[in-house]
Amino acid sequence: MQTVAVGRVVSVDSEGFSLAWSERDARQVLYLAIAGVRSRVGSGSSPPQPGRLRVRWLGLTPQAVLCFSWGLRASSSAARIGRLSLGGASIPAESSAVSWSVANKQAAVTASHVHSCTARLILVPDTQTGGIHATAALASFDHDGFTLDWPYSDGQKRQFLYLAIGS
């Protein structure tokens, strides 16, 4: 797999932000822009075994969180795995996640896997079997962060990104 273009933020102002691209033929880019709320963006890594992970020192008390993951360790290069998990929660009992993956093999016909769950925030699908590698649920919002419960993990650390929204 090759990277077609790399973008970087060159300015941020009241109307939004500007990106500079490494190549003129940059493809379509999806992004989420948030304004008018206190929020923090960050990343973390799941524990390799089932357990809890506390995200701290956000400088706000979250009231909602959005998480997404491609289900791999942090890396500066692209991987040949088509996988994405996206989830959100406003309270531990009010969360949902969806994940999508394409079979991790070279073949004329590939299989897509889709999972959804109202009791989890992150679902990491197994691209080979259609099963699940790891899951996370929101355990609590804390004074300065939030806690994730990872009830299932296959022994690998997996990076996730979050947007914590506070009052």
Side-chain angles (χ1 to χ4, degrees), residues 108-164:
V109 177
T110 61
S112 295
H113 309 119
V114 178
H115 298 272
S116 64
C117 183
T118 57
R120 297 287 184 260
L121 188 59
I122 298 172
L123 300 169
V124 180
D126 182 330
T127 60
Q128 294 185 10
T129 67
I132 295 286
H133 281 302
T135 68
L138 177 66
S140 65
F141 284 125
D142 308 318
H143 172 70
D144 63 344
F146 58 93
T147 300
L148 296 179
D149 182 27
W150 294 82
Y152 179 71
S153 177
D154 65 355
Q156 302 294 317
K157 286 189 166 201
R158 300 175 187 283
Q159 184 181 41
F160 65 93
L161 301 170
Y162 62 84
L163 169 66

Side-chain angles (χ1 to χ4, degrees), residues 24-43:
R24 291 175 95 28
D25 64 344
R27 301 290 194 312
Q28 179 181 15
V29 176
L30 301 174
Y31 63 90
L32 172 67
I34 302 288
V37 297
R38 291 187 63 208
S39 61
R40 296 292 182 270
V41 174
S43 67

Side-chain angles (χ1 to χ4, degrees), residues 14-82:
S14 62
E15 295 182 5
F17 57 90
S18 297
L19 300 175
W21 293 97
S22 63
E23 302 293 330
R24 291 175 95 28
D25 64 344
R27 301 290 194 312
Q28 179 181 15
V29 176
L30 301 174
Y31 63 90
L32 172 67
I34 302 288
V37 297
R38 291 187 63 208
S39 61
R40 296 292 182 270
V41 174
S43 67
S45 291
S46 68
Q49 303 300 325
R52 288 202 167 188
L53 174 76
R54 185 157 185 239
V55 177
R56 303 190 282 185
W57 302 299
L58 296 180
L60 57 79
T61 301
Q63 294 181 333
V65 64
L66 295 174
C67 288
F68 71 92
S69 177
W70 42 88
L72 300 172
R73 288 181 180 264
S75 175
S76 61
S77 62
R80 295 186 60 84
I81 294 179

